[in-house]
Each structure stands twice: as C-alpha cells, then as structure tokens.
Amino acid sequence: MNQSAASAAEGYVTEIPYVAGYYRDLGPSMHALALQWRGFAAPPIGAPLTCLELGCGYGLSTLVHAATNPQSQFIAADILPEHINTAKSFADAAQLTNLTLLETSFEELLNHPLPPCDVITMHGVWSWINDANRARILEIVAARLKPGGIVALSYNTLPGYASMLPLRELMMRRFRELEGSVTERVKASVVFAQGLKLAEAAFFAHHPLANQRIDDIAGRAARYLAHEYFNADWHAFYHAQVAEALKPLGLSFGGSAQVLDNIDEFNIPKRARLSLEMEDDVTSRETIRDYLMDRQFRFDLFVRDGMKTVDDADRLRGMHFISGTPPQNVDNITGQTILGQVRPDRTRATAVLTALAGGPATIDDMSRHPACVGIPRDKLVDTVVALVGFAAVEPALPPNADDRGLAATQRLNRALWERAEMHEWTRANASPVTGSGVSVSREEQLFLLARARGEDPPTLVVKVLRENEMDVRARYQAFSNGRLPALQKLGIGT
Ligand SMILES: C[S@@+](CC[C@H](N)C(=O)[O-])C[C@H]1O[C@@H](n2cnc3c(N)ncnc32)[C@H](O)[C@@H]1O
C-alpha cells in the first residue's frame, strides 16, 4: 500500500488486512426471500442481475455469489490491494468470467464507468467511514442503481449499541497515543480498557453490553479488531437517520436481509407488539422496533422507486427451497434473540421438513404434500421463512438454473479447500444448488480436499492439523455418514 492509497482511505485502517467473512445476506437469494415475503416483487432467484459490492474486503461473499449465479454479473470494489489481489486469485482459480474486482476507493469509483445496477450491497462499511465517503456512496447509488433496484446496507444501530460508543472512545484514545505497529497498539488499547474493567470502573458495572463486549473483544484477532474498532471513524445510527439519508434517492425500507429480524413473534414480547399497531409510517415503526428489540446492528434492504408489490396470496410463488435437516431433528432448530432461545412452531416446521425431505420444492409443491394438508398457504410461507431464518431451510436456485455454475463452484471450493490446507482462513464454501454459501469447518474442508484428490481423508487431516489419528478416523466415519451426504445434496464434495 503506497502513501497516497493510505491517505485516500481517509483514516480507515490500511496497515493490516481484514478477516475473510462470507455473508449470505449480501446475496440475491436472501434479498428475493426477504423482500418477497414482505410483499415486494423482488427479482426471482436465478434472474440475471448486475450486482455491485462496495468495500468488499476479501470479496468472499461476491466470489461465492458470482460462482453460483453465472447468469448474473458481479462487481466488487475495495481500497486495500491485499483484499483485491487475494479475491482475484480465487476468481482466477474458479475461472469466473462474470466478476470484476476493482482496487479502488469510493472517491475513484465515482468516476469509474460502472453499469446500471440491480443491486448495490455493503456490509461493515456505512458505520466505519466518514461523512464524505457516505456522501460518495450515496452519489454512486443515485447514479448507478436502476429504478426498482435494491440496496443492502448494514450498520451499528442505536439505541442498542449506545454503550459501545464510550468503550470505543476509550480504546481509540489510547490507540492514538501509542506508538508501534497497528497490531501492537490494538492489543495494548484493549488490555488498557480491560484493565479499567478489572479496576472496577463504574462504567462497566453500569453498562452490561460494554462489560460483556470488552471480554469478547479481548479474545479476538487484532486484524478483526483493527477494522472493527480502530478506524478514525466509527459511528452508530438510528434507523430513521439512515432511512432519511436514502430517501432523497427514492429509496425506502423493504425489510431486513436477516430474515428472522423481520418476524415480530421471535423478537418482541406480545404486549410490546401492541405499541406497533398504530405505527403506519415504516420509518417510525422500524425505529420503534429497534427500541423494543434494543437492536445493536441492522442489515437493511432498501428498494428504489419502481419496485412493484405482490399480492399476499402470491408471496414466494415459484421459489424453490431445500433442507438438509430431517424432520426428526426439528427440536434442534433454535435461534437466539433478545427474547432468549426461540424456536419455530413444531407442528408446522415438521410438516415443512417432511415435505422437503424428498428434495427441493416450492410452497405450492409443499401445500400439495400430505404432511402439509390443512396448513393455510400464508402459514406455510411464514413457517418456511422462519426456518430459513433459523438456517434449517435454504432458498434454492430453480432446477433449470444455468449449469455453468456447477463447474465454477467446484473450482472455487477446491481453491478454498487448498487454502484451508495452508491455514485456517474461512468456513465459506459455495453451493451451486442454493446460490449461496455454506459453512464448512476446516477439518471438513480437508476431508473434502482429500476425497477430491483421491487420497485418504483422515491421513491428510492428521498431517495438517496434527491430531490423534484414531479420533480423526472416528470423526471421518461420522462425517461420511451424516454431514457428507448433506453437503453433497447441496452440490459440495464428491
Ligand atoms: C469492516 S470491512 C468489511 C469488509 C467486508 N464487507 C466484510 O464484511 O467482510 C470495511 C471494508 O471497507 C473498505 N474500505 C474502507 N474505506 C474505503 C474507501 N474509502 N474506499 C473503498 N473501500 C474502503 C476496507 O478496505 C474494508 O475492506
């Protein structure tokens, strides 16, 4: 990174690269699901789209979505050369022809000849940059997003994150005063803040979130922390502030990309839900929900004027779903929200999983299945969406999807497994069946790599991870009987 590139970052950390994260909420499948469920006629899964990701980091989300959605064009931009060069090496290994990776700042991107986009995404960006860069992003969106297009945008949220502001200030103040490498200064600043907690500073006693978060921070890698907490800019916003910034561009709130967040039943106590009943204004309603849920982070989808709506009775029509969770495992399906541990309606979830046990199906297919008889369509839709939120069901590409995705996905996964052989990097693998990523542990990736090479999988794991051979052989046996067939159903592994 040269000096001018560092100064172009305007205080964003450039000395060390970030961690490699994959987010299904950035992908077309989750946008289609969340928006269609909320009554918008978002493009169906498998539609040809042009998607732009801003501040893509290592670009893993876009790499996975580009490999598995060959019918669409993807562009991803980031200022850090290490991020973009690594992303390019994976794009080359997967021979992706539908992905353009740009090493560029948001300022430079303003003058880059970008095509009209159906979707513009950014994760971990809006809260971590300055006003000038937020204004540039708005300019890019204003100029490039098509009418009816989608913006997916995550940010630190108020009021839930309020007590993180003084904790970040405490660490950042110390970070600025110190000398040494970024890693050293990050570590020392965290130790300093933790020391104040140990010294029984009343701040930590009075702010449970900061009290718990500082211990979590102390256990994290410096490269994650540097990008998360030690940029010159770090902000938290009320939803209304973000909605008001996007309104002049003709954008309005469409839903959360994290589908479970949309469902009041799993997030808001029954009595508190009454306070939403009179709230017709979507911005006020969402802002009040943030108080009811004490929300710390949001992953919003905004839609530009021009997106049509669908009749309630037609929501998710034609969309395919797949599940690797057998109905007998229904009691293992849980999620954690502000209400504590939540779970889907047992009877309806069992019915859906039974209907999906035979392979991908649409809502209409499911309603014809004997297990779902008597369940009204709208309840079936809500149950399927909840199960997606609980990660027990995935939206899937249509059966007639462009099969170029299969070869590209296999090549991308192979490159990811080879990286896993070198060191722990990411759990993301790509599924040509869902069009999204799947979380696969490093050990599982090594099993898959050895199988692809025709080698003995436990031998490779023992060599790379230096684990006890008997234990690894037992785990491989279990993998072969359970996890492997589930991954193969998703088109991952041979
Ligand atoms: C917190 S990271 C998030 C990365 C990725 N989206 C993720 O969620 O894993 C923010 C990213 O924005 C990029 N970034 C920050 N300022 C930028 C700028 N002015 N122009 C382009 N990219 C920038 C950083 O290099 C970094 O990769």
Side-chain angles (χ1 to χ4, degrees):
M1 147 111 351
N2 61 39
Q3 197 47 45
S4 63
S7 69
E10 298 175 24
Y12 189 92
V13 167
T14 53
E15 289 85 344
I16 49 175
Y18 193 45
V19 291
Y22 167 79
Y23 305 94
R24 71 172 184 170
D25 316 308
L26 290 169
S29 302
M30 294 312 291
H31 302 163
L33 178 92
L35 290 173
Q36 289 189 24
W37 180 64
R38 286 180 53 96
F40 291 95
I45 295 176
L49 302 173
T50 301
C51 306
L52 167 66
E53 183 180 1
L54 301 172
C56 65
Y58 280 115
L60 208 48
S61 304
T62 290
L63 280 162
V64 166
H65 298 140
T68 56
N69 291 274
Q71 78 288 354
S72 292
Q73 294 297 318
F74 292 83
I75 306 158
D78 198 280
I79 197 168
L80 254 73
E82 157 79 10
H83 288 168
I84 293 299
N85 289 338
T86 304
K88 279 185 176 162
S89 70
F90 280 100
D92 289 346
Q95 297 170 32
L96 298 180
T97 53
N98 60 338
L99 170 60
T100 306
L101 289 156
L102 301 171
E103 182 198 313
T104 152
S105 68
F106 301 136
E107 186 174 19
E108 290 160 339
L109 211 52
L110 278 171
N111 299 315
H112 196 89
L114 294 168
C117 297
D118 299 283
V119 185
I120 299 182
T121 60
M122 67 211 91
H123 178 47
V125 173
W126 191 257
S127 283
W128 291 266
I129 53 175
N130 60 15
D131 284 342
N133 274 316
R134 271 188 292 281
R136 289 169 189 138
I137 286 178
L138 291 179
E139 236 182 284
I140 294 167
V141 172
R144 306 298 181 189
L145 189 69
K146 291 180 189 172
I150 298 167
V151 169
L153 161 85
S154 67
Y155 52 96
N156 292 330
T157 306
L158 293 171
Y161 226 41
S163 62
M164 282 305 293
L165 291 162
L167 175 55
R168 129 87 188 187
E169 176 63 20
L170 182 67
M171 297 188 296
M172 191 64 190
R173 178 166 284 277
R174 183 46 54 107
F175 179 80
R176 284 201 196 97
E177 289 163 0
L178 291 168
E179 288 187 359
S181 70
V182 167
T183 302
E184 288 162 352
R185 290 155 67 209
V186 164
K187 285 183 178 164
S189 306
V190 171
V191 167
F192 167 68
Q194 225 186 3
L196 287 194
K197 172 178 164 168
L198 291 173
E200 299 181 1
F203 167 72
F204 288 102
H206 291 191
H207 294 91
L209 174 68
N211 190 43
Q212 164 233 313
R213 197 51 77 85
I214 184 61
D215 293 333
D216 169 59
I217 287 173
R220 297 296 202 116
R223 58 166 51 203
Y224 166 78
L225 296 174
H227 288 258
E228 182 66 35
Y229 297 107
F230 293 93
N231 292 306
D233 282 276
W234 192 93
H235 308 276
F237 298 96
Y238 293 101
H239 168 74
Q241 292 175 307
V242 177
E244 276 151 25
L246 296 184
K247 197 174 169 188
L249 281 56
L251 285 155
S252 54
F253 179 69
S256 171
Q258 296 179 325
V259 285
L260 213 56
D261 279 4
N262 291 314
I263 309 177
D264 289 349
E265 175 194 341
F266 296 122
N267 294 289
I268 302 174
K270 226 176 190 165
R271 214 169 38 156
R273 278 178 236 159
L274 294 176
S275 45
L276 291 172
E277 274 180 6
M278 305 300 281
E279 289 302 330
D280 293 333
D281 177 73
V282 69
T283 304
S284 301
R285 188 186 157 85
E286 278 304 304
T287 307
I288 293 167
R289 283 181 95 245
D290 287 344
Y291 282 80
L292 300 180
M293 294 162 66
D294 197 30
R295 195 135 49 155
Q296 299 167 15
F297 192 74
R298 291 184 62 109
F299 208 137
D300 286 348
L301 298 174
F302 288 86
V303 293
R304 198 164 204 183
D305 289 344
M307 185 177 279
K308 297 191 170 59
T309 52
V310 271
D311 287 345
D312 240 25
D314 285 331
R315 290 181 307 151
L316 307 191
R317 198 173 291 286
M319 192 179 288
H320 286 76
F321 296 91
I322 186 166
S323 176
T325 307
Q328 60 271 25
N329 288 359
V330 69
D331 292 328
N332 300 340
I333 302 172
T334 61
Q336 201 66 32
T337 72
I338 193 83
L339 297 186
Q341 195 178 57
V342 292
R343 36 180 93 240
D345 176 276
R346 193 174 189 280
T347 309
R348 289 201 286 264
T350 306
V352 165
L353 295 176
T354 306
L356 287 175
T362 63
I363 300 282
D364 290 337
D365 296 334
M366 289 181 229
S367 37
R368 285 190 291 270
H369 193 282
C372 297
V373 167
I375 305 178
R377 188 177 193 278
D378 62 331
K379 294 281 184 241
L380 207 49
V381 165
D382 290 352
T383 306
V384 170
V385 171
L387 287 170
V388 174
F390 287 111
V393 167
E394 290 282 332
L397 289 160
N400 60 352
D402 188 334
D403 60 9
R404 284 172 302 164
L406 182 60
T409 302
Q410 283 168 346
R411 289 188 292 260
L412 178 63
N413 285 340
R414 178 73 181 249
L416 291 167
W417 303 338
E418 283 166 359
R419 182 81 181 230
E421 189 179 20
M422 291 193 281
H423 59 100
E424 175 102 51
W425 194 60
T426 181
R427 290 184 162 225
N429 276 196
S431 163
V433 175
T434 65
S436 299
V438 178
S439 179
V440 184
S441 73
R442 187 178 179 204
E443 178 173 274
E444 290 169 342
Q445 294 189 58
L446 294 173
F447 285 153
L448 294 167
L449 176 62
R451 287 177 65 90
R453 285 178 180 158
E455 294 173 1
D456 177 49
T459 303
L460 180 67
V461 168
V462 169
K463 187 174 125 211
V464 174
L465 301 182
R466 301 188 183 286
E467 302 237 356
N468 175 286
E469 181 164 355
M470 286 243 298
D471 293 348
V472 174
R473 291 210 174 273
R475 289 204 295 272
Y476 181 64
Q477 192 60 45
F479 172 79
S480 307
N481 294 336
R483 177 77 165 140
L484 180 61
L487 288 172
Q488 285 168 336
K489 210 169 160 187
L490 294 173
I492 298 174
T494 47

